[in-house]
Structures are given as C-alpha cells and as structure tokens.
Amino acid sequence: MDKSKPPRAALMVHAGAWDMPAEEREAHRQACAAALDVGWRRLAAGGSALDAVEQAIVTLEDDPAVNAGQGSVLTREGWVELDAGIMDGVTLEIGAVIGLRTAQNPIRVARSLLGADHVLLSGAAAEAAVRSGGHATLPPEAFVTERVRERLRAWQAAAATRRPGAAPADTVGAVAVDALGRIAAGLSTGGACGKPSGRVGDAPIPHCGYFADTRLAGVAVTGWGESILRLGLARRAAELARENGAQDAAWLAIRELEDRVGGRGGLILVARDGSMGWAFNTPVMALGYRDAEMAGPVVRV
C-alpha cells in the first residue's frame, strides 16, 4: 500500500458468506447493488464515511432477503433479536446494540450511541435507546416472514436428527473511506438461526465483527461468530493491512481464521488509501464495491 498517495473515496458492502442456495443468490446480488448505490450517492454528494456506511446498511436492513432488520432469522423461540455496531475510524468511537426486538433499523440506533456515556447496550437498555432516540419501530411479529420461518423449520429438523445445517451467515456490513480519508465500518444482523435467546455473536462487538481506524483500514466481517470472536478478526485484518496490500491482508486474515480456530466466513476491507480487498472460505459471498476511479459499481455473488 502506497501511504504517500492521497485517499480516494471507496465503499464496500456485503450480504453474507455461506453455502448460499442458488435460488437466493440473485436477491442477495440485488440487495448489495441497492445498498452500494445508496451509500455511494451519499459519498459522491460529500457525505462522510459514517454517512455512507449507515445509509448502505439501512438499505440492507430494509430488504427482507437478507439476515438483518426486516429479514432477520429467528431464535429458537420464534422471535428476532437484532444486533448492530458501527465505528468511526477518526475518533475510534463505537456504538452498538444487542438483542433489539422492535427497531426497524438497528444501525441507526447504534450510530446514535457514538460519543454517548454508554456505547454498547443490550436488552432493555437497548430498547430504551430506541424509544428515547425516536427511532422507527415495528411490532415484533412484523419481522417474522415465511422465509425466516422456513429457515427455523430447517434448523429444527437438522437439530432433531443431529445433522449439521448449512449455517447461513448472511449478516450485512459496509466499510467506507471518504475523500477526506475518514474511515468507518459497521454491521447489522439477526444472528444465527435457531440461536438461544441472549446469544451474542461477533456483529455488535468492535474489533471482532467490525473495525475502523483511519491509520489502518476499515473491515466488516461475516460468518461463524463464535470463531470470529476468538480471533478478533476485524482488528486482525486491519493490522495486516499495515504492511500488506488490502487484498493480501484480507486473504491472510481469513487464512488465519481457518488455520487457528477452524472458522468459516468472509470479510471486506478498505485501506486508508482507498484500496479494497475481500476474502472468504465459504462457497459463496455476496458483496459489492466502488471507488472514485471506477466507471461504475461491481457486485458479485
């Protein structure tokens, strides 16, 4: 990475890495394309990296095809518990929420906690932040779609026969660097299908599911949360970008995830100069990217 070059604006989004059924891939491609379009328009209009990340993730949360917001998978009890986190790479401030049941856009609630006295809230405290912040809400039953009911039924059938399932991991995320070199990263998820109520994965945990530092990179992760937590994957990938190119740093981090803890997943990474990288060790990852030097966006599933 050439640290002497001025930064160029760049945005990456993802909609998960897993053994994605063929019939779901086009919906994930469209979700990434829409999020990339919204986030890039915000960057192109002079918005900050934080603005772009938030807007891209809001777009994904509003898409019922992916596991965040209105498409979130269900707990064993048949309800959603929504997690989200966001990080400002300039100040290193974070905001995160765990176990929300009514927030339409958990990432907005997470961003509202940047600079607050308490920045990682769960359960009742997180729900109180939804109410006090005037954030849009939905009744819990509005999140329970036929798609996620079917996922829960499949998980229950696999659990009953002790057969491992495909472990879908279509958590959504975004990372961006703006024209001023500011970096931001964020994630939003419904978590793991069939999880026990109260289970927390990597998505709301800074340095694990997401990380941003203008001196290094922005990273957003997806995959098997328990293994990602053990490695602190997002921070590890950003550290690797200090001495490696963005693409090499991404691959080295995913290789370490597999070699050290047997983890499966993927990540997207934007380095301080706007260079981009991604890597995954699952069959499929849905992602999109664009920078100021490209003629248009690229989306791949």
Side-chain angles (χ1 to χ4, degrees), residues 148-165:
V148 296
R149 286 194 191 96
E150 178 55 36
R151 276 201 182 182
L152 183 60
R153 285 193 289 266
W155 177 87
Q156 290 168 333
T161 58
R162 297 190 177 184
R163 289 184 292 107

Side-chain angles (χ1 to χ4, degrees), residues 49 70 79 111 117 154 173 178 185 194 204 206-207 234 242 252 262 277 294 299:
Q70 296 182 55
W79 299 102
R111 184 174 179 181
D117 291 338
D178 60 33
H207 299 235
R242 187 191 302 275
L252 287 168
M294 293 170 60
V299 178

Side-chain angles (χ1 to χ4, degrees), residues 272-293:
R272 58 182 292 186
D273 63 354
S275 58
M276 298 177 286
W278 66 91
F280 55 96
N281 62 353
T282 57
V284 179
M285 183 171 182
L287 63 93
Y289 55 92
R290 185 171 185 178
D291 69 24
E293 297 178 357

Side-chain angles (χ1 to χ4, degrees), residues 83-103:
D83 304 333
I86 194 167
M87 185 168 184
D88 182 342
V90 177
T91 63
L92 303 184
E93 290 178 345
I94 61 167
V97 287
I98 296 171
L100 291 176
R101 293 197 172 191
T102 64

